[in-house]
Amino acid sequence: MAKYGGWVGKILRVNLSTGRIWTEDTIEKYKDFLGGTGIGYKVIWDEVPAGTKSFDPVNKIIFGVGPLAGTGAPCNGRTAITTLWPTCWPKALVATGHMGGQFAAELKYAGYDSIVIEGKADHPVWLSVVDKKVEIKDARRLWGQGIRRATIEISQEIGPGAAVAAIGQAGENLVPMSVVMNSYSHSAGGVGAVMGSKNLKAIGVRGTGSVRIAGKKEEWEKLIKLHLSLLGANNQHVVPSSPQPWAEYYDAASRWKGSRGKMWGASTPAIETGTCNPHDLNRIAYRTNNAVHYLGDIAWKYTVRGNGCTGCPIRCHTMIKVPSAAAKYGIPEVGQNTCGGLNFGRSFFKTFPDGPRGMTGIEACMVGMYMSDDYGIWCNYSQLQRDFQKLYYEGIIKSKLEEKEFKSYSWDKYEKGDPSFLFELLPRIALKEGELGTALGLGTGYLLERWSLSEEEWKKSHGLNYWKLGHPKHHSNEEAGQCGVIINTQYNRDPQCHSHANFTRNGLPLEILKRLAAEIWGTPDAVDTVGAYTPMNTGKAKMAKWSLLRKELHDSLSLCNWMGPWVASPLKERGYRGDDSIESMLYSLATGDKKNRQELDQVAERIFLLHRALTIRDMGTKEMRTQHDTIPQWVYEDPSHRPVYTKGTTHLDKEDVKLAMDMYYEEMGWDKATGAPTPEAYRKVGLGKVSDELDKKGLLP
Amino acid sequence: MQQWETACLVVANIIRKKSEAGQLLFQKEIFRGLMDQKVLKSDNREQLGTFEAILKKTMKRNEDLKELLDKDGIPRYYSAEFMSEAYVRILLRKEGNPLLLIAEIVRENSALYPRPIPLDTFKNPPFELTQEDILACLQKISGQEKYQDIAQTITSIGTVFLYSSRHLDSDYASMLAEWLDVGQYNNP
Amino acid sequence: MSHQNKKPEILEEVLSSEGLNHPFSRRQFLKLSGVSIIGISVLGPLFARGETKAPLIIMKQAKGIVIADPTKCVGCRRCELACTEFNDGKAKPSMSRVKVARNLNFGPKGVFPEKHGQGNWGNGLIVQDLCKQCPHPVPCANACPNDAIVVKPPTNARVVDAKKCIGCKMCLRACPWEMISFDSDTGKATKCFLCYGKPKCVEACPAEALNYMAWRDLTDKVPPRVVPTAVIPPEKAAACNDCHKK
């Protein structure tokens, strides 16, 4: 029997240039990096030289899952896909996309902890992984088809239970703004074109094996039930959106939408979601309805049911059935997705004839999903749509396009908010047709460069949400003050970190948030409430560090950072406390490698530091503070010029943010002047060799 | 004694089930429940006495069962295990003083979380006020000094939020409303 | 063991079995008494196999059954994970005794994602396949050459006795609903045994899409998935005449 549970023991390696397929021992080589992003960063560090570009055959793309993937641990269905990022501007740096669905679990059942792909096939291929049998197969008849057809044809070949991760025409055409998708609606942004550059159309996985739980099955069952008992709704919102009999608190903006009288209206027959008492673990799936969250109460009657990843009871995807969309636009009646994916089509339009929460908006969502999830177009956390609005309404598109191309678009339809406009726009992005289609597909950074637009202008704009390197903010100061800003400086795309936002938005009163914050980060002052910020303190730095480390931990274990950590819960009898050790308890029991919370957080720190080291190495500078950890001007400005810390403002003070970065670097044990980790910081987490290599290049402070 | 045991269990169960569904109970509703389940036979005077004794005993034995007096001084019953105090307060206020209900809820939200709340909150359960009722209340509110603190703010997409100026100033309230109605959705 | 001594008791048991769906006339009863009854199982096989080639007859009905509501299934597969993790200590949906994954994407008919297909790629309906705890004749039990599928109190579920199972997979072929699982790690078949009356799948479902209820005969209500390709060998089938011959 294998020494550890959780991991299934093998990393699958595929070289598409030579056709070589081989395996590595997960534990021997990668145990200290867990899986997911940990393995991703390690492979890139060890094997991909600095200066490599995204579409170079020597770039690698790592489909990483962790020891908890495929188990019954709630919220574990995620795959982290690490590579050198095509939209990272001006230079490709390491970054990760994430996708849910069935892929992660199926890969584990097939017997693999990750897949590393390198090289480039000389003709379109797809990778078939059917338990231990791995083959590179000809994909010429799939090339040029959308994600949907590719998935169906592969399923016909390897079985209806297969998990297929495929790119669409966008990825094939090396459009940087492209995704890979599995399980109908689950996409990983930004990596489609890397697969395309390798002529890799898809990976199809069928697995009949198992993931062993090292601990006693009775204990595992008990732990799972504990975890389930602490769950809230999507994003770990722990209060319902309207007053419920059992609830002390509520929050209209909570994703916990289930209530008496609220029905999954398009289910046959309709199903009431009900009061969803948090002690009733058989009704967790009725709490969340993201279609209603984004589209309004009107979406109840279109809701078929929730959907989502393997093993997750939350069901943050919503399946909606909209016959009017089918009738008007000739698309299928049923669509499903969540968040940015759900809003893909809608986000392009400034207005709709029937307002922001009417039918037309829903139809735009349906049309958008239908195309973007088949062509495989990425939204870059809706930066694509925000850029598009600005470029159009400020006349930039008109000035950059030749008249003939400009006239080929029905701009009147766009201005009116007619979803059929998307049929003109989206295919051209995926197929790289015309100047507009090509420019939009590059990602913001390269688009700015191509059209000679000023990044400074983007950095000053409040509405554009732009941060740096061609990517937007993701839960920054508008959410969590200085903590949010720190988090947004650390990555090479938008940070994809929800640890902090899940906490600040969970719906509990400020007093309780502060009490919980004191327990976790040492002081109630670690959290302010939104719009009533206070100066920086060490508690906030601790919260930022915790948020970042837990994000990497989740991405490496295969837990969902859109659901965890679980430091708050809906349970009054626990004082709304969750359990900050859930991750370490799950890890220890599943793998048999006993680590407490601090020990596992140290592994997370190792993984996070490796990302830092990679960024330093590939940027060729240790001056991270000034060159990488930058903050756009809009963070410091209030549209009405009110002073900082005035209630009702979310902007911050420049000096205070400098202090924030100081405190953060100090918390991390990094050099304050450069923001670069010191040799001690690397050694503390067992990255001594990494430190030595950086030293040789003069990249240590 | 056996019958009393059963009767107490039945009463406790009735109260808890109704609390789960979000309802307070009158004595007569509990009585009817006991009749439906054949624990009591009829509503003659003797049975009434028995009922009151059963009720008293049940309340004494079960810590979660609570009795309180509504605005008319009539006792109402619920289980604290299934219904929160906050919810009970809403139900009591709703009966006969929707204006005070709105004011109290708005103030509570502005003080506690703190945040303004969408006007539409009051259309949904458990408030379930009609559009007309709500507008009528708002009209009355604007006329009375003791409700001077109840204010409105409208977001960029036209949603009306209410807040209490005792706890939130107008700038802050409008920023929070915009964040709750628009900002959060633009930052999913 | 003397067959003749045991006969009257066995007959009594057989005739008093609840839900007996093979009616006996008095005449048949008399006929029956004159024939040596071989291999009737009430609480377990009473006779050693030896020269007898009769199938193992299970007369006791199951007390409970797990029933699925596909209109509520949200496709999370926690039932499969609970079934295998909490019973076998490993996450192995391929051997789960409640089966969802195979219908998840396209429905029971396979890759037909046309407008009227089911599953995540069709209209969203996910059918959870469950063991019907069949009444006599129990296909999987009848097909087993080792009489390894037996009745287990208190639920009277039909259960694979791992000690007797030789891993031939005849039972897999015999079930019209393809509900028997095979654990490639142990080399044994396994099937739904109702978790001693507290089914883990029912407990695990976050959508109340599975329920544990009093047993009822669903064998003629749920369309079969396949035409079974395992049949009772003729020599075993001949023994059916013992009870059913006119």
Side-chain angles (χ1 to χ4, degrees):
Chain A
M1 172 143 70
K3 182 170 183 207
Y4 295 109
W7 292 287
V8 287
K10 293 266 177 271
I11 307 289
L12 177 62
R13 309 271 332 216
V14 180
N15 184 323
L16 294 175
S17 303
T18 63
R20 183 177 168 224
I21 298 171
W22 73 108
T23 62
E24 289 181 314
D25 188 303
T26 312
I27 304 300
E28 247 173 58
K29 252 195 130 176
Y30 301 105
K31 175 179 172 282
D32 293 338
F33 297 89
L34 300 180
T37 49
I39 292 184
Y41 302 153
K42 181 84 172 86
V43 168
I44 304 249
W45 176 266
D46 287 345
E47 303 178 25
V48 181
T52 304
K53 300 208 198 65
S54 301
F55 301 154
D56 291 347
V58 301
N59 182 22
K60 307 202 182 195
I61 179 167
I62 301 103
F63 289 74
V65 306
L68 294 180
T71 68
C75 320
N76 81 64
R78 304 195 62 77
T79 307
I81 306 176
T82 308
T83 190
L84 296 178
W85 207 252
T87 53
C88 182
W89 175 76
K91 189 178 186 183
L93 297 169
V94 71
T96 309
H98 313 81
M99 66 180 184
Q102 309 291 330
F103 189 85
E106 202 69 16
L107 188 61
K108 293 290 288 290
Y109 305 142
Y112 300 104
D113 293 306
S114 288
I115 307 181
V116 180
I117 310 230
E118 60 201 75
K120 174 183 176 166
D122 62 14
H123 62 271
V125 296
W126 67 278
L127 187 67
S128 170
V129 181
V130 179
D131 285 321
K132 288 291 188 288
K133 188 161 179 221
V134 182
E135 298 171 273
I136 299 170
K137 299 190 127 181
D138 193 311
R140 272 177 279 224
R141 66 159 212 279
L142 300 176
W143 202 260
Q145 305 287 353
I147 290 167
R148 303 255 152 94
R149 172 145 288 281
T151 304
I152 284 165
E153 292 198 19
I154 290 174
S155 300
Q156 283 167 347
E157 191 170 329
I158 62 174
V164 181
I167 59 173
Q169 294 90 336
E172 291 177 7
N173 291 322
L174 307 188
V175 174
M177 292 282 283
S178 58
V179 303
V180 61
M181 292 194 73
N182 87 90
S183 304
Y184 200 88
S185 55
H186 294 264
S187 59
V191 300
V194 175
M195 282 176 70
S197 73
K198 296 182 176 311
N199 268 330
L200 179 62
K201 177 67 177 175
I203 305 178
V205 184
R206 251 325 253 127
T208 60
S210 61
V211 179
R212 185 174 74 89
I213 304 298
K216 289 209 181 83
K217 61 189 189 208
E218 294 80 17
E219 280 183 45
W220 182 249
E221 188 173 350
K222 221 166 132 208
L223 178 57
I224 299 292
K225 285 183 175 156
L226 168 66
H227 192 178
L228 288 171
S229 76
L230 301 176
L231 292 181
N234 185 221
N235 285 147
Q236 195 53 6
H237 289 180
V238 296
V239 308
S241 67
S242 63
Q244 299 297 319
W246 54 267
E248 256 191 303
Y249 306 115
Y250 53 94
D251 174 11
S254 167
R255 290 177 192 225
W256 191 316
K257 294 295 188 211
S259 181
R260 182 169 51 88
K262 301 297 185 194
M263 321 281 286
W264 286 355
S267 192
T268 38
I271 298 168
E272 188 180 76
T273 53
T275 56
C276 297
N277 189 307
H279 299 98
D280 191 347
L281 303 183
N282 293 122
R283 291 198 72 81
I284 298 177
Y286 295 104
R287 298 176 189 173
T288 302
N289 187 330
N290 278 333
V292 164
H293 183 70
Y294 286 104
L295 307 175
D297 270 349
I298 187 180
W300 279 113
K301 69 169 177 285
Y302 301 112
T303 302
V304 178
R305 61 170 167 87
N307 210 353
C309 305
T310 327
C312 182
I314 296 296
R315 315 327 274 158
C316 73
H317 284 224
T318 314
M319 198 179 237
I320 51 175
K321 185 172 169 185
V322 189
S324 67
K328 278 191 198 157
Y329 306 103
I331 59 176
E333 278 187 338
V334 181
Q336 54 180 298
N337 216 309
T338 192
C339 295
L342 179 67
N343 286 312
F344 193 100
R346 196 168 71 130
S347 305
F348 280 98
F349 299 91
K350 207 175 203 173
T351 57
F352 290 109
D354 51 353
R357 296 226 169 98
M359 259 333 274
T360 315
I362 296 180
E363 288 169 7
C365 287
M366 291 291 287
V367 174
M369 283 190 283
Y370 170 69
M371 278 192 281
S372 65
D373 291 349
D374 196 29
Y375 281 120
I377 307 170
W378 189 37
C379 67
N380 193 9
Y381 196 52
S382 302
Q383 191 62 37
L384 172 71
Q385 292 91 337
R386 284 188 293 274
D387 287 348
F388 184 81
Q389 283 196 31
K390 177 181 168 78
L391 295 169
Y392 175 74
Y393 283 104
E394 292 186 11
I396 301 170
I397 292 180
K398 188 162 189 192
S399 70
K400 295 294 174 187
L401 261 51
E402 289 191 11
E403 199 183 332
K404 183 165 177 221
E405 186 183 336
F406 188 78
K407 287 212 167 113
S408 71
Y409 285 95
S410 311
W411 295 111
D412 58 326
K413 282 192 184 166
Y414 173 61
E415 289 190 30
K416 255 191 281 176
D418 181 348
S420 65
F421 176 79
L422 295 170
F423 287 105
E424 298 179 28
L425 179 67
L426 298 183
R428 289 198 243 192
I429 299 176
L431 302 172
K432 248 182 180 168
E433 280 175 11
E435 177 60 26
L436 182 60
T438 306
L440 290 173
L442 293 174
T444 306
Y446 289 101
L447 180 148
L448 292 175
E449 192 180 307
R450 186 183 174 103
W451 283 6
S452 308
L453 299 169
S454 141
E455 196 197 14
E456 279 317 299
E457 198 186 327
W458 258 245
K459 283 186 168 183
K460 284 210 187 97
S461 156
H462 276 91
L464 279 175
N465 290 1
Y466 181 80
W467 196 272
K468 60 168 173 148
L469 295 179
H471 298 93
K473 66 164 176 176
H474 201 145
H475 303 315
S476 78
N477 57 301
E478 81 293 339
E479 181 77 56
Q482 296 93 336
C483 174
V485 167
I486 294 166
I487 289 167
N488 273 266
T489 61
Q490 294 299 292
Y491 284 92
N492 304 321
R493 57 162 292 189
D494 62 299
Q496 296 280 298
C497 175
H498 297 78
S499 317
H500 57 313
N502 291 348
F503 184 77
T504 55
R505 283 200 209 179
N506 66 22
L508 291 169
L510 184 62
E511 182 197 327
I512 298 183
L513 286 181
K514 281 188 174 286
R515 176 173 40 82
L516 294 173
E519 287 174 14
I520 309 161
W521 305 300
T523 161
D525 300 331
V527 285
D528 299 320
T529 187
V530 106
Y533 295 136
T534 63
M536 184 62 188
N537 59 59
T538 50
K540 295 178 182 182
K542 284 185 163 51
M543 183 175 171
K545 177 176 178 179
W546 172 89
S547 301
L548 291 162
L549 260 49
R550 288 300 169 90
K551 173 240 177 260
E552 290 303 338
L553 184 62
H554 293 165
D555 287 347
S556 301
L557 285 176
S558 277
L559 285 176
C560 181
N561 191 246
W562 283 255
M563 271 303 296
W566 292 271
V567 288
S569 80
L571 302 177
K572 180 181 175 191
E573 64 266 28
R574 286 178 71 100
Y576 300 101
R577 219 172 259 109
D579 192 325
D580 200 31
S581 304
I582 285 285
E583 293 96 327
S584 51
M585 289 196 285
L586 286 169
Y587 172 81
S588 299
L589 210 53
T591 63
D593 180 28
K594 289 197 172 35
K595 283 193 168 29
N596 64 29
R597 174 169 61 135
Q598 287 88 334
E599 288 165 338
L600 197 59
D601 279 347
Q602 197 176 61
V603 179
E605 191 163 358
R606 176 185 308 140
I607 296 167
F608 182 63
L609 243 71
L610 190 51
H611 177 276
R612 191 71 168 168
L614 259 171
T615 305
I616 288 172
R617 183 195 80 174
D618 291 0
M619 282 183 75
T621 176
K622 62 184 181 218
E623 300 297 334
M624 293 297 278
R625 182 166 195 148
T626 51
Q627 302 300 306
H628 180 270
D629 297 354
T630 58
I631 293 151
Q633 185 57 26
W634 62 258
V635 171
Y636 305 119
E637 286 170 4
D638 177 59
S640 311
H641 308 292
R642 290 165 291 182
V644 273
Y645 312 134
T646 309
K647 283 200 176 159
T649 64
T650 54
H651 66 303
L652 296 173
D653 173 72
K654 234 178 194 153
E655 288 310 306
D656 182 74
V657 170
K658 278 206 187 98
L659 179 63
M661 296 309 292
D662 281 345
M663 285 189 172
Y664 167 67
Y665 294 142
E666 186 157 347
E667 194 64 37
M668 296 301 296
W670 298 353
D671 173 59
K672 273 193 219 169
T674 57
T678 60
E680 293 71 44
Y682 286 121
R683 267 177 241 294
K684 189 180 83 174
V685 292
L687 290 179
K689 286 214 189 97
V690 167
S691 180
D692 293 338
E693 281 187 52
L694 289 173
D695 197 10
K696 286 196 205 114
K697 301 183 186 212
L699 294 173
L700 290 177
Chain B
M1 262 316 110
Q2 173 67 18
Q3 289 172 313
W4 278 71
E5 293 299 322
T6 314
C8 286
L9 282 170
V10 171
V11 169
N13 201 42
I14 290 172
I15 298 175
R16 286 179 186 136
K17 274 263 155 344
K18 284 294 182 189
S19 288
E20 228 181 338
Q23 292 167 32
L24 297 169
L25 285 169
F26 289 102
Q27 279 192 8
K28 61 176 185 254
E29 290 171 309
I30 303 176
F31 190 91
R32 203 176 10 250
L34 285 170
M35 295 237 301
D36 288 344
Q37 297 199 41
K38 310 268 199 294
V39 176
L40 291 177
K41 306 242 172 22
S42 71
D43 56 6
N44 64 33
R45 287 196 61 151
E46 196 183 284
Q47 291 282 280
L48 235 40
T50 314
F51 166 68
E52 276 163 20
I54 294 173
L55 186 57
K56 197 164 173 195
K57 196 166 194 163
T58 313
M59 296 304 294
K60 195 159 171 218
R61 278 188 186 176
N62 293 283
E63 248 189 69
D64 66 305
L65 301 184
K66 309 281 179 199
E67 175 190 293
L68 43 68
L69 300 179
D70 65 18
K71 66 175 191 350
D72 300 318
I74 298 177
R76 311 289 286 280
Y77 300 87
Y78 70 98
S79 161
E81 196 184 317
F82 293 99
M83 199 188 286
S84 67
E85 262 185 57
Y87 201 81
V88 171
R89 269 184 280 127
I90 293 173
L91 290 181
L92 289 179
R93 271 287 165 260
K94 193 172 133 178
E95 291 171 358
N97 201 341
L99 197 134
L100 186 57
L101 173 67
I102 292 177
E104 283 185 349
I105 295 293
V106 169
R107 284 173 184 149
E108 184 181 69
N109 273 262
S110 295
L112 189 62
Y113 293 99
R115 65 173 86 106
I117 63 165
L119 184 65
D120 279 352
T121 308
F122 297 106
K123 284 194 200 147
N124 293 319
F127 307 101
E128 285 162 325
L129 300 175
T130 63
Q131 180 85 342
E132 293 76 34
D133 280 341
I134 299 173
L135 290 176
C137 288
L138 290 179
Q139 281 248 346
K140 288 207 196 112
I141 277 174
S142 61
Q144 298 186 37
E145 196 180 315
K146 60 178 169 175
Y147 296 125
Q148 276 310 293
D149 62 307
I150 308 297
Q152 278 190 37
T153 178
I154 303 182
T155 67
S156 63
I157 57 172
T159 313
V160 178
F161 277 71
L162 298 175
Y163 67 97
S164 164
S165 60
R166 273 184 212 162
H167 306 285
L168 295 174
D169 68 41
S170 66
D171 230 7
Y172 190 25
S174 71
M175 175 246 140
L176 284 173
E178 189 68 16
W179 170 242
L180 292 169
D181 198 37
V182 179
Q184 283 199 12
Y185 302 97
N186 289 340
N187 293 281
Chain C
M1 199 182 314
S2 157
H3 292 192
Q4 301 295 51
N5 287 346
K6 286 285 173 195
K7 240 193 313 184
E9 292 166 44
I10 296 163
L11 287 175
E12 286 305 318
E13 292 271 16
V14 165
L15 292 171
S16 65
S17 293
E18 319 98 66
L20 189 65
N21 58 359
H22 298 282
F24 283 88
S25 68
R26 178 158 170 78
R27 203 163 139 235
Q28 283 173 313
F29 176 81
L30 292 172
K31 271 242 147 104
L32 218 47
S33 349
V35 171
S36 61
I37 313 284
I38 322 158
I40 287 182
S41 162
V42 177
L43 288 169
L46 291 177
F47 302 101
R49 246 184 332 108
E51 332 119 14
T52 67
K53 301 264 191 295
L56 190 68
I57 297 171
I58 298 177
M59 296 312 300
K60 270 243 171 337
Q61 305 300 11
K63 294 254 167 72
I65 187 172
V66 180
I67 294 192
D69 183 348
T71 64
K72 284 179 168 171
C73 179
V74 289
C76 71
R77 300 172 61 188
R78 289 199 67 76
C79 49
E80 294 181 334
L81 291 165
C83 177
T84 54
E85 280 190 341
F86 302 159
N87 285 314
D88 308 285
K90 58 194 175 189
K92 194 171 183 180
S94 64
M95 67 171 265
S96 172
R97 305 157 185 93
V98 48
K99 296 176 190 293
V100 173
R102 63 192 187 187
N103 300 331
L104 185 75
N105 288 326
F106 304 103
K109 291 210 179 111
V111 190
F112 292 133
E114 86 276 13
K115 199 168 161 192
H116 302 289
Q118 294 179 347
N120 283 336
W121 287 69
N123 65 5
L125 193 77
I126 298 175
V127 179
Q128 316 98 305
D129 291 338
L130 288 152
C131 172
K132 281 135 210 63
Q133 308 296 348
C134 296
H136 170 69
V138 182
C140 54
N142 283 354
C144 179
N146 267 17
D147 297 337
I149 296 183
V150 299
V151 153
K152 263 256 159 78
T155 60
N156 289 348
R158 285 81 170 97
V159 178
V160 174
D161 183 342
K163 288 197 282 302
K164 295 214 181 107
C165 175
I166 56 172
C168 67
K169 295 190 181 175
M170 288 298 276
C171 53
L172 269 73
R173 289 272 184 251
C175 178
W177 298 277
E178 287 192 301
M179 284 312 301
I180 311 289
S181 295
F182 192 77
D183 186 349
S184 51
D185 298 326
T186 60
K188 309 269 183 180
T190 181
K191 67 177 292 298
C192 175
F193 58 95
L194 299 178
C195 296
Y196 316 109
K198 229 185 153 220
K200 304 272 188 211
C201 55
V202 174
E203 207 179 344
C205 179
E208 285 183 340
L210 293 173
N211 276 298
Y212 184 51
M213 302 181 151
W215 184 87
R216 77 285 313 276
D217 189 355
L218 292 178
T219 56
D220 56 353
K221 296 180 181 60
V222 178
R225 237 179 104 90
V226 289
V227 176
T229 53
V231 293
I232 304 173
E235 55 277 16
K236 267 201 183 184
C240 297
N241 285 303
D242 290 347
C243 294
H244 294 279
K245 185 158 74 177
K246 283 222 162 67

